[in-house]
Amino acid sequence: MSRQAVRPINEMSVSFPALSENERFARLAVSGFLSQLDPNIAELSDIKTAVSEAVTNAIVHGYRETKGEVSMQVRIFGGGRITIKIQDKGCGMEDIEKAMTPLYTSSPEEERAGLGFTIMATFMERVRVKSRPGKGTTVLLERTVQGKQRL
Amino acid sequence: MTELKTVQGVTVALLSGELDHHTARLMRCEIDREITEKRPRRLVIDFSGVTFMDSSGIGLIMGRYKLMNERGGSVTVARPPVYIKKVLRLAGVDRLAPISDTLDDLLPAEDYAKEAERIEQTSGQTN
Ligand SMILES: Nc1ncnc2c1ncn2[C@@H]1O[C@H](COP(=O)(O)OP(=O)(O)OP(=O)(O)O)[C@@H](O)[C@H]1O
Ligand SMILES: [Mg+2]
């Protein structure tokens, strides 16, 4: 729809190999880029947690802890609106709705709680997931950042 | 990072730094080794030094709960910072492990003063 017509004020993209060491890097890259919006501590903590969930999922589920590339794009729009896209070209999902059900996990033996998507949905305003078995998964996180001065 | 101490059947695991899928692996290993060796009746996981936590932290608590429960023991989550409490609450962790804002009454009486002081010092250093 008209969404494409709205141009971001600023944006950044990074991609990195699917290594668990990069989960921390992804959080830091996002919070570094968003520092221009002067987010408050609670907002930053929420965003970092949601990013960590999506990136970890790409690494542990998408690529099943094997080689692969994770890409991430962060966009800033007017009014403090942000979008964060996290993409993998891993195994994908058959049933997105089932995957997003709270407490559902395909790997309970690895001590997973099945709460990643629930955390993303709670800490961001909108979560959209596109996935195709054998092709990969794209997670789009959206929310508004109020920033410190606007509190 | 994980600092472990077992006194009179109570193991305190003082975690510090960021708790994600990457760091949880080692923390889990170290806690489990201590539990297997010392066989405590209670495990206190002290989150006061944790600066970030995602669902991997919930997995870590759930796994330790299972382990302790099998042995007839309990788990307490101690001193979580506000941003971690938010994740704990969302996950309903308190149904498995009570959440405590202090270490008071969690440690064996005699060693409590000494222990609290030591932990206070360590978390000061690692922050
Ligand atoms: N990028 C992905 N590629 C393939 N499957 C995925 C991906 N992300 C999530 N899934 C599937 O969705 C399920 C639910 O994900 P969610 O993050 O909610 O829970 P989890 O990762 O299993 O556990 P937790 O996040 O609590 O550690 C996963 O178990 C997995 O089967
Ligand atoms: Mg997950």
Side-chain angles (χ1 to χ4, degrees):
Chain A
M1 288 214 298
S2 64
R3 187 155 287 276
Q4 267 90 347
V6 183
R7 296 184 63 180
I9 294 168
N10 198 355
E11 66 177 283
M12 76 96 167
S13 302
V14 278
S15 69
F16 45 85
L19 299 170
S20 63
E21 286 86 341
N22 286 331
E23 291 156 8
R24 179 165 192 269
F25 165 72
R27 297 192 295 270
L28 291 175
V30 171
S31 68
F33 182 68
L34 292 180
S35 67
Q36 59 197 288
L37 291 173
D38 203 19
N40 63 61
I41 292 169
E43 290 171 333
L44 204 53
S45 161
D46 287 359
I47 294 165
K48 280 166 80 174
T49 312
V51 166
S52 195
E53 297 299 344
V55 170
T56 303
N57 279 351
I59 295 170
V60 305
H61 303 299
Y63 294 117
R64 301 202 167 111
E65 311 225 25
T66 60
K67 275 197 188 121
E69 199 75 3
V70 180
S71 54
M72 192 168 73
Q73 180 198 59
V74 185
R75 287 181 158 173
I76 297 175
F77 296 88
R81 195 83 196 146
I82 61 159
T83 63
I84 304 168
K85 189 159 83 180
I86 290 132
Q87 197 161 29
D88 68 68
K89 293 190 163 57
C91 68
M93 288 174 250
E94 298 277 353
D95 187 343
I96 298 174
E97 212 177 310
K98 183 170 106 190
M100 292 180 81
T101 308
L103 303 178
Y104 170 79
T105 178
S106 53
S107 41
E109 71 288 350
E110 288 161 34
E111 291 192 353
R112 312 231 67 88
L115 285 172
F117 279 123
T118 309
I119 288 176
M120 289 183 243
T122 310
F123 289 5
M124 302 296 284
E125 280 148 19
R126 188 169 183 192
V127 180
R128 280 182 287 170
V129 181
K130 273 189 244 159
S131 190
R132 274 177 65 195
K135 296 277 183 212
T137 300
T138 302
V139 174
L140 190 70
L141 306 170
E142 266 185 70
R143 70 169 282 164
T144 302
V145 172
Q146 297 292 317
K148 283 173 202 140
Q149 69 275 57
R150 274 179 270 176
L151 265 192
Chain B
M1 230 189 71
T2 318
E3 243 200 82
L4 291 146
K5 182 82 188 259
T6 303
V7 179
Q8 294 174 39
V10 180
T11 296
V12 179
L14 173 68
L15 308 181
S16 54
E18 305 195 2
L19 205 180
D20 62 11
H21 155 253
H22 179 71
T23 59
R25 288 188 252 210
L26 185 60
M27 291 179 179
R28 191 159 62 207
C29 267
E30 291 179 331
I31 296 172
D32 289 358
R33 194 193 304 133
E34 182 83 1
I35 293 174
T36 321
E37 271 174 26
K38 309 274 175 69
R39 310 192 147 268
R41 59 178 158 38
R42 181 193 281 156
L43 169 67
V44 177
I45 312 178
D46 186 346
F47 283 85
S48 58
V50 177
T51 53
F52 171 85
M53 187 184 95
D54 62 18
S55 64
S56 309
I58 303 299
L60 180 131
I61 297 169
M62 282 173 26
R64 308 297 69 65
Y65 168 79
K66 233 174 105 193
L67 201 66
M68 288 300 290
N69 196 43
E70 279 165 12
R71 296 154 183 265
S74 67
V75 176
T76 304
V77 170
R79 307 199 292 180
V82 273
Y83 44 87
I84 288 175
K85 260 193 192 159
K86 202 169 164 182
V87 181
L88 295 171
R89 233 182 280 130
L90 192 150
V93 157
D94 52 341
R95 275 174 293 172
L96 304 180
I99 299 168
S100 167
D101 284 326
T102 86
L103 287 178
D104 297 2
D105 303 326
L106 295 177
L107 306 174
E110 297 143 56
D111 284 273
Y112 167 65
K114 223 168 59 196
E115 195 59 16
E117 194 179 298
R118 190 193 68 83
I119 287 167
E120 214 43 76
Q121 283 169 359
T122 344
S123 55
Q125 282 164 10
T126 47
N127 273 343

